[in-house]
Amino acid sequence: MADSAASATATPAAQGPEGAAAGPGGSAGPAAARRAQARTAVLWQAVRIVLDDSAPRDVLDVGGGTGGFAVPIAELGHRVTVVDPSPDALAALERRAAESGVPKDALRAVQGDLAGLLEHVEPASVDLVLCHGVLEMADDPAAGLATVADVLRPGGVVSVLAANRAAAVVARALGGHFAEARRALADPTGRFGPQDPLAARFDEAQLTRLLDDAGLAVQSVHGVRVFTDLVPGALVDADPQAASDLAALEAAVADRPEFRAVAGRLHVLARKSAT
């Protein structure tokens, strides 16, 4: 499922899942919006491919926070449920949805987490699950993905975005933290020490094996943020065209194995069997 450089620049501004510094309701300044565009263009294009050829879908965004994906997906006419542990994030999500004119029955906000997903979502009731930035915080990623498979309808798709362990090694080394880089390289979970905020990082083989074990067949793998985590923000902020050029570059390398091996995040689309 290749991404085109042209379509990659169509990302909704300042609405990425790990995106720009946003103000009330999710708004952000022009520079922050450009950085968010560069970070999330590849991811958005992959998700849009899943949604664009279909009638309205039931979408579940696990850990969806303030609605960087949920609100624009609801604006496309889909029905979205966001499950997130933070009441503050969910309040911001509801403000953003109201400011965007999303109908109340198109978006539901629920306080919860991956482990307790079945307390809030019926089995086999969802067409697309977004699981972005969640597995690296989960106590048991394998159990979490098994729950995701449970809530998917036959033929449903999960979009997983997870931290790449190789990128952490590179980042720690470039920051001068060489001992931490070695620990991240050797640690089975990809952590660089007790101060690491993440519970785990993954390489492509680990991530695809977890999905396969959950009964979810991998359809595509992309590298996300190959360059944008390394390029100084000032270079993007100084030139309005730079973000579009960077997004196009990210799209050009996203499905090339030699580049996604060091991408900041790995993105996988996987499908539940239709039978």
Side-chain angles (χ1 to χ4, degrees):
M1 189 179 293
D3 295 309
S4 70
S7 59
T9 60
T11 306
Q15 293 184 328
E18 303 166 274
S27 61
R34 290 195 294 271
R35 289 195 298 272
Q37 177 195 42
R39 278 193 293 266
T40 62
V42 168
L43 184 57
W44 260 110
Q45 176 63 12
V47 171
R48 286 293 298 264
I49 288 173
V50 175
L51 293 171
D52 278 354
D53 61 352
S54 65
R57 296 287 192 95
D58 291 306
V59 179
L60 171 64
D61 191 351
V62 184
T66 62
F69 275 85
V71 170
I73 288 174
E75 289 179 306
L76 292 174
H78 303 285
R79 298 172 294 271
V80 186
T81 296
V82 175
V83 175
D84 193 279
S86 168
D88 292 338
L90 293 175
L93 161 68
E94 291 176 335
R95 290 195 298 270
R96 173 183 270 178
E99 291 169 3
S100 299
V102 173
K104 288 186 178 296
D105 60 354
L107 195 150
R108 181 170 69 108
V110 179
Q111 188 174 356
D113 58 19
L114 180 63
L117 205 54
L118 287 170
E119 298 172 14
H120 309 291
V121 183
E122 292 294 322
S125 64
V126 177
D127 300 300
L128 171 65
V129 175
L130 306 183
C131 189
H132 296 169
V134 174
L135 292 185
E136 52 265 66
M137 304 298 294
D139 292 332
D140 189 339
L145 285 176
T147 303
V148 166
D150 285 341
V151 302
L152 279 171
R153 291 184 173 122
V157 173
V158 59
S159 170
V160 173
L161 183 72
N164 182 4
R165 63 180 297 158
V169 175
V170 173
R172 302 317 291 173
L174 291 178
H177 305 288
F178 306 119
E180 291 183 352
R182 287 188 63 191
R183 282 197 288 270
L185 180 64
D187 189 281
T189 61
R191 301 183 77 242
F192 56 74
Q195 73 277 28
D196 194 329
L198 300 187
R201 294 180 180 83
F202 307 89
D203 59 32
E204 185 175 328
Q206 290 172 317
L207 201 54
T208 56
R209 184 167 60 250
L210 280 169
L211 287 159
D212 184 65
D213 289 346
L216 300 163
V218 171
Q219 306 290 292
S220 65
V221 183
H222 292 105
V224 175
R225 292 161 55 175
V226 174
F227 301 109
T228 52
D229 285 353
L230 302 176
V231 172
L235 294 180
V236 180
D237 295 347
D239 179 4
Q241 181 60 35
S244 293
D245 291 341
L246 180 56
L249 177 61
E250 291 278 357
V253 302
D255 58 357
R256 294 179 58 168
E258 67 271 31
F259 287 99
R260 70 174 183 250
V262 294
R265 301 290 185 273
L266 293 170
H267 178 243
V268 183
L269 290 176
R271 186 178 298 274
K272 184 176 179 178
S273 172
T275 58

